Amino acid sequence: MTDLELKELLSLTDPAALRELYDRAYRVKLQYIGPRVSIRGLIEVSNICAKNCFYCGIRRGNHLVKRYRIDADEIVETAVWAYEQKFGSIVMQSGEIESPEFAAFIESVLKRISAATGGGLGVTLSCGEQSPEVYERWRNAGATRYLLRIEASNPELYRRLHPADHDFNARLECLRSLRKLDYQVGSGVMIGLPGQTVDDLVHDLRFFEEFDLDMIGMGPYIPHADTPLGHGIEVTEEYRRRQLEAGLRMIACTRLLLRDVNIASTTALQALGDDGRELGLLAGGNVVMPNITETGYRKGYQLYEGKPSLEESSAESRDNLSRRIASIGETIRWAEPGDSLHYAAR
Ligand code: 5AD
Ligand code: SF4
């Protein structure tokens, strides 16, 4: 596909044309993956973050957030619960802290999860930028996948989103180290950011392609009032509808371009529409990540406003999810790690 074609697809607004785009992407997903959805239980292990990203509700500068880190015992317990519930895999996500203590903490939790499940549970990490040595220790302790979103592949836009404490090239270096260490590597962007153009999104798609990513996790930007970027943006119904649509178009284009990768239908879609996650699957996504963090912690992990499932317990979300996935004619791959086909083929 040419850049021009991608640009046209990413600019569609006519409902019939959009339907056609989503259907086309869904057919490619069916062809490569079948009517099956992989699930990962998401554990938000810590909201302590050293960074100050302009869009994010748990940025360092937001003093309204009560900070937590879940105890190792409790994380292992949740992981074992997920294993017994046949989740097949989990994601451990946290704010970004580069410290020897944090590196050792995650390493020890990984080893304990691996021992408790006989290595039978796939573990993905999403703990930000770290040194190659730390990535290697975590890989050796049992993590097989890593998610590190590039957030915006246009360095200029990236700089505007993180003016103080981010270095675009350092982030690229992290993605390269992860690849060298034989992780399944995932990245992604936010869609519909203030100041982002359709050309930026085409650039993002080319970035996914050039980096030969195994997994894509991306979602629409949703304002948070206590952040520099979200402050003052009025979130109307029309705004939500447009952000959801922008997210779906991008999922569909990613599926058409990259074909056999894992693409998450993310929580941000669900935050914008009750059936947002299902729509993401019908536009080419094949992974969902239900939140299995103990509900008591969830208020502390509001990356954006209106993040869903604040109260819903993990067991409830599991049943709810099964029903919803079945309602669109897809089946959950229980007890399978759901590795990226793209990675397997490399
Ligand atoms: N809207 C949407 N996504 C966000 N993230 C952080 N803040 C927001 C927001 N306001 C995403 C970032 C980050 C991931 C954990 O959450 O892409 O990588
Ligand atoms: Fe921290 Fe990640 Fe939020 Fe940035 S997006 S402030 S690194 S948790």
Side-chain angles (χ1 to χ4, degrees):
M1 286 207 273
T2 64
D3 284 2
L4 190 63
E5 278 172 290
L6 290 172
K7 200 169 166 176
E8 275 170 15
L9 294 176
L10 289 169
S11 309
L12 291 176
T13 54
D14 172 62
L18 282 171
R19 187 70 271 148
E20 204 177 304
L21 168 65
Y22 304 153
D23 287 350
R24 218 176 117 197
Y26 185 63
R27 282 197 300 275
V28 172
K29 182 262 182 187
L30 284 181
Q31 184 192 337
Y32 283 86
I33 297 169
R36 292 179 310 166
V37 176
S38 292
I39 56 164
R40 333 262 175 238
L42 175 66
I43 311 178
E44 293 157 341
V45 302
S46 161
N47 68 354
I48 302 169
C49 188
K51 289 250 166 92
N52 228 353
C53 306
F54 265 33
Y55 42 82
C56 176
I58 65 169
R59 64 201 299 271
R60 186 186 71 223
N62 186 359
H63 300 295
L64 300 170
V65 175
K66 204 167 137 238
R67 305 290 163 171
Y68 71 82
R69 186 173 85 186
I70 307 181
D71 284 344
D73 287 352
E74 208 177 326
I75 301 171
V76 176
E77 215 173 277
T78 306
V80 169
W81 176 86
Y83 180 64
E84 286 167 350
Q85 296 287 317
K86 308 209 176 328
F87 269 75
S89 78
I90 58 165
V91 179
M92 292 205 279
Q93 188 172 69
S94 72
E96 188 173 308
I97 317 158
E98 268 190 274
S99 76
E101 201 272 328
F102 182 70
F105 174 79
I106 296 291
E107 183 180 34
S108 119
V109 169
L110 286 167
K111 283 185 178 156
R112 287 180 57 188
I113 292 174
S114 179
T117 60
L121 183 69
V123 183
T124 307
L125 289 177
S126 176
C127 302
E129 293 176 32
Q130 304 286 340
S131 68
E133 292 72 34
V134 169
Y135 285 148
E136 184 169 15
R137 276 167 61 192
W138 290 349
R139 179 80 179 87
N140 291 336
T144 52
R145 308 178 202 162
Y146 205 99
L147 300 172
L148 183 70
R149 289 189 181 182
I150 191 68
E151 313 291 5
S153 69
N154 170 351
E156 177 51 31
L157 178 57
Y158 186 88
R159 203 184 48 74
R160 289 206 304 269
L161 297 170
H162 323 91
D165 51 7
H166 266 59
D167 175 348
F168 185 78
N169 287 321
R171 205 156 179 92
L172 292 184
E173 250 335 288
C174 285
L175 286 169
R176 290 192 194 102
S177 326
L178 291 164
R179 168 54 46 72
K180 264 194 228 132
L181 289 162
D182 198 32
Y183 277 97
Q184 294 175 52
V185 180
S187 191
V189 295
M190 279 172 293
I191 304 145
L193 289 158
Q196 189 182 43
T197 65
V198 180
D199 286 322
D200 288 332
L201 293 174
V202 172
H203 196 266
D204 291 337
L205 290 169
R206 293 298 179 208
F207 175 87
F208 301 162
E209 195 176 31
E210 274 156 32
F211 244 89
D212 198 22
L213 294 168
D214 303 304
M215 318 181 288
I216 309 291
M218 60 187 170
Y221 164 68
I222 304 175
H224 190 302
D226 303 323
T227 60
L229 200 67
H231 183 74
I233 298 184
E234 200 196 338
V235 182
T236 59
E237 267 314 301
E238 176 59 13
Y239 180 86
R240 294 158 63 84
R241 193 194 62 72
R242 272 191 286 117
Q243 291 299 86
L244 177 59
E245 195 175 278
L248 296 175
R249 274 195 301 258
M250 195 65 177
I251 288 185
C253 287
T254 304
R255 177 60 72 199
L256 289 176
L257 193 64
L258 302 185
R259 318 205 60 96
D260 61 352
V261 297
N262 278 346
I263 302 176
S265 183
T266 51
T267 317
L269 295 171
Q270 198 189 351
L272 291 170
D274 186 44
D275 57 350
R277 212 166 38 181
E278 288 71 44
L279 294 175
L281 294 173
L282 292 172
N286 71 307
V287 173
V288 292
M289 295 163 50
N291 198 339
I292 61 168
T293 314
E294 276 297 318
T295 48
Y297 296 110
R298 294 194 199 173
K299 247 198 219 44
Y301 217 90
Q302 291 294 97
L303 304 174
Y304 44 82
E305 277 165 271
K307 196 159 160 255
S309 310
L310 266 186
E311 309 293 342
E312 193 176 54
S313 80
S314 308
E316 270 164 9
S317 32
R318 184 184 188 278
D319 294 344
N320 192 15
L321 192 69
S322 286
R323 226 174 342 97
R324 280 173 166 264
I325 302 291
S327 79
I328 56 166
E330 296 261 316
T331 319
I332 293 179
R333 303 170 63 182
W334 293 111
E336 288 181 53
D339 287 331
S340 165
L341 287 175
H342 189 74
Y343 173 83
R346 185 178 298 126

